[in-house]
Amino acid sequence: MRLTLFRLEKVKLLTKYRKALEHETVAGIVLVIGAVLALVWANSPIREWYFALAEAEVGPSALGLHQPLETWAADGLLAFFFFLVGMELKEEFTIGSLQNPRKALVPMLAAVFGMAGPSLVYLAVQLISGSGIYDGWAVPVATDIAFALSVLGLVGKGLPPAVRTFLMTLAIVDDLLGIIIIAIFFSDGLNFGFLAAAMALIALFWALLRRRYTHWLLLWPIGLLTWYFMFRSGVHATISAVGLGLVVPTLVKDGEIEPLTDTITRKFSFFSAGFVLPVFAFFAAGVSVVDSGGIGSMLTDPVSMGIYLGLPFGKFLGITGGVILLVKIFRLQLDDDVAIVDIIGISLISGIGFTVSLLIATLSFPAGSSHGEHARVAVLIGTLLSVILGGIVIRIRANYRIRTGLAAKDQMTMDEQDLLDGPDPAGTA
């Protein structure tokens, strides 16, 4: 009887956890908890236990898979997250905000400027300091979609929906460019045989899904083999997951009530947000500041300075400056509900580079390098600065809109559009 009650309580807790993770803010908090726990443990008197756990090797040696747990977290578990990213990209380019290139042109180009800005800030810091360490140029370029949107949702009440759409479009293109950077600059010793095998399996995956052969006994082996061949090819293994996600159909066939991308995302999102990302953050953020010269040494390291300044301020300079250039010089147009002043807050919270930036930081420097450890802590500091500065600016802007009645006008416009559009045929909001 007690065992049955215990199982029921576990099911209830799991259900509550799943429900809570549907909110972007909660998912972001869970991610931060994983990183903070690692950082605290890695700097505690029992930090050797943390590093023994992170460096413990598991997996079959004969297949080249005898790897440390921290590698499994970055190359293996994180593939689930990138699979969801691939499907999100597919949806946005086919049925979402990127379907109309003219409408999405400004945020898409802003994403390019937003990646150039942080890199230039990083390179400028290295040039001024004379460090000559340019390996970390790609670390501050990424934007964490879920984390950034959760901050906007938390502090941006009163802003028009178009602001969220702009940020989401920008962050999605940013993710795509980040994936390209990982594929091009962090591939080592390409094995074209394994790469060709991975690409062939992605094509097979697409063909099966197109014909709606979706049984897990069929698709899981293909997915795992694709990951393995990509891992052995020298390309970062998570790229295989992106490729698989990009071939999932978004076209709704007769008898279907939603795209296959939505169906699969719903099945994987809890596992990704509730387990994969916190575990990855736990292993990626565990840096011993104590053993690498202390916080002073970390803060003054040109590598970390380039990253924690590049994330908030590089994004601000790149995105805000880029949008001003596009609108004022090239005469491109923002959405009617988005003003250039709104872009300031968006650009600052775009510096939240958590997940992909931590991954790139682990790839940019060799294992055991003090610069690599400093880079990972700098990602956390830069993300924190972006949250604080971006949150303040967005809250000020939202309050201004509320005081001047702009927020009410935005809501009236939304209601009028809903009346014109009529009821949702799917019966959902």
Side-chain angles (χ1 to χ4, degrees), residues 373-398:
E373 295 179 341
H374 290 174
R376 285 183 282 166
V377 176
V379 168
L380 304 182
I381 295 174
T383 293
L384 181 61
L385 286 172
S386 298
V387 169
I388 294 171
L389 296 174
I392 291 172
V393 171
I394 288 172
R395 190 62 253 162
I396 291 172
R397 177 60 178 165

Side-chain angles (χ1 to χ4, degrees), residues 160-417:
V163 171
R164 187 182 190 277
T165 302
F166 187 100
L167 174 61
M168 185 170 67
T169 303
L170 182 151
I172 287 169
V173 175
D174 185 288
D175 257 4
L176 178 61
L177 296 174
I179 290 164
I180 293 171
I181 286 174
I182 292 171
I184 294 175
F185 295 99
F186 298 101
S187 299
D188 184 31
L190 285 180
N191 184 310
F192 289 99
F194 279 121
L195 184 59
M199 299 304 292
L201 285 172
I202 290 173
L204 176 60
F205 192 80
W206 167 77
L208 291 172
L209 288 180
R210 190 183 179 196
R211 291 165 176 77
R212 297 306 188 265
Y213 295 124
T214 58
H215 198 286
W216 68 272
L217 282 175
L218 186 64
L219 298 181
W220 270 91
I222 295 173
L224 291 172
L225 280 173
T226 303
W227 177 90
Y228 175 70
F229 289 142
M230 192 68 77
F231 179 81
R232 294 300 302 271
S233 74
V235 177
H236 196 267
T238 54
I239 301 300
S240 65
V242 177
L244 292 170
L246 284 171
V247 300
V248 177
T250 55
L251 179 67
V252 178
K253 287 193 172 184
D254 292 340
E256 296 177 341
I257 60 173
E258 63 180 359
L260 195 55
T261 47
D262 286 353
T263 304
I264 298 175
T265 296
R266 191 168 56 253
K267 292 180 179 180
F268 278 90
S269 57
F270 169 67
F271 181 63
S272 176
F275 178 73
V276 170
L277 291 179
V279 169
F280 166 72
F282 175 78
F283 284 110
V287 176
S288 178
V289 179
V290 176
D291 295 330
S292 58
I295 191 68
S297 173
M298 192 280 297
L299 289 174
T300 56
D301 181 354
V303 168
S304 59
M305 287 179 67
I307 294 168
Y308 69 70
L309 293 177
L311 280 168
F313 302 117
K315 288 287 185 183
F316 167 73
L317 292 171
I319 295 172
T320 304
V323 168
I324 291 173
L325 181 68
L326 293 170
V327 172
K328 299 297 184 181
I329 305 299
F330 293 99
R331 299 299 179 182
L332 298 182
Q333 292 185 342
L334 286 166
D335 188 286
D336 291 340
D337 291 330
V338 180
I340 288 180
V341 69
D342 294 319
I343 303 300
I344 297 174
I346 291 175
S347 65
L348 286 169
I349 63 170
S350 295
I352 299 173
F354 210 84
T355 308
V356 179
S357 285
L358 280 174
L359 175 61
I360 295 177
T362 63
L363 299 174
S364 298
F365 300 96
S369 165
S370 62
H371 294 306
E373 295 179 341
H374 290 174
R376 285 183 282 166
V377 176
V379 168
L380 304 182
I381 295 174
T383 293
L384 181 61
L385 286 172
S386 298
V387 169
I388 294 171
L389 296 174
I392 291 172
V393 171
I394 288 172
R395 190 62 253 162
I396 291 172
R397 177 60 178 165
N399 286 339
Y400 171 78
R401 278 184 168 271
I402 293 170
R403 285 198 315 270
T404 57
L406 289 173
K409 181 181 176 183
D410 293 334
Q411 185 60 48
M412 287 176 63
T413 304
M414 287 175 61
D415 293 340
E416 290 171 0
Q417 187 61 49

